[in-house]
């Protein structure tokens, strides 16, 4: 693990294997902060691998299932109160997972993230999320 840490670099994807079931990953995700300050046409369909591929624990211990959620808008539990396995099986989290599995966007934060400033851009982004995450990224 020490050699993996030594090879980690800024501005690239890094994966540090902690054990056979857990790894620490870093990557550049872009600047989404201003996207959430604007009025958008919310997404109704789409796909995000969020909680299925990764999740986060914020500075205060809140779990988040979104790589753009820096301020806990998707947080429903805290690691001080809820073990990780319990968190992942919570109905609020599983509802979001089931939605994305059926290509539906159910969480308000996700609707905004996969939405955009006008109907055309929003539709392109929604369909694009399905094409990218379900087919292109897997290859």
């Amino acid at each position: 693990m020490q050699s993996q840490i030594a090879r980690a670099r800024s501005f690239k994807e890094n994966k540090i294997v902690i054990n056979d079931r857990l790894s620490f990953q870093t990557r550049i995700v872009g600047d989404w902060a201003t996207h959430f300050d604007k009025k958008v046409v919310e997404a109704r369909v789409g796909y995000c691998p969020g909680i299925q591929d990764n999740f986060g624990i914020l500075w205060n211990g809140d779990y988040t299932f979104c790589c753009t959620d820096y301020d806990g808008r998707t947080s429903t539990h805290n690691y001080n109160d809820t073990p990780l396995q319990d968190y992942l099986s919570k109905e609020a989290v599983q509802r979001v997972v089931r939605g994305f599995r059926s290509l539906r966007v159910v969480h308000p934060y996700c609707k905004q993230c996969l939405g955009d400033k006008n109907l055309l851009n929003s539709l392109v982004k929604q369909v694009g999320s399905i094409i990218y995450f379900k087919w292109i990224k897997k290859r």
Side-chain angles (χ1 to χ4, degrees), residues 46-105:
Y47 184 79
C48 176
I51 190 69
Q52 297 167 60
D53 284 358
N54 60 66
F55 66 94
I57 301 175
L58 301 177
W59 66 272
N60 62 355
D62 286 348
Y63 293 113
T64 178
F65 54 78
C66 175
C67 64
T68 68
D69 184 5
Y70 61 90
D71 61 355
R73 292 186 198 178
T74 65
S75 181
T76 57
H77 295 82
N78 186 285
Y79 82 87
N80 290 312
D81 306 319
T82 307
L84 177 59
Q85 188 169 356
D86 292 348
Y87 165 70
L88 294 173
S89 63
K90 293 290 185 185
E91 178 56 27
V93 174
Q94 288 302 307
R95 187 170 19 90
V96 174
V97 171
R98 284 192 305 272
F100 280 130
R101 283 186 181 152
S102 63
L103 306 179
R104 289 182 305 111
V105 183

Side-chain angles (χ1 to χ4, degrees), residues 93-130:
V93 174
Q94 288 302 307
R95 187 170 19 90
V96 174
V97 171
R98 284 192 305 272
F100 280 130
R101 283 186 181 152
S102 63
L103 306 179
R104 289 182 305 111
V105 183
V106 297
H107 194 280
Y109 191 79
C110 303
K111 288 179 178 186
Q112 189 169 4
C113 183
L114 289 174
D116 213 320
K117 61 186 172 187
N118 60 50
L119 183 59
L120 179 60
N121 287 9
S122 183
L123 289 172
V124 168
K125 197 169 178 185
Q126 291 172 69
V127 172
S129 72
I130 297 168

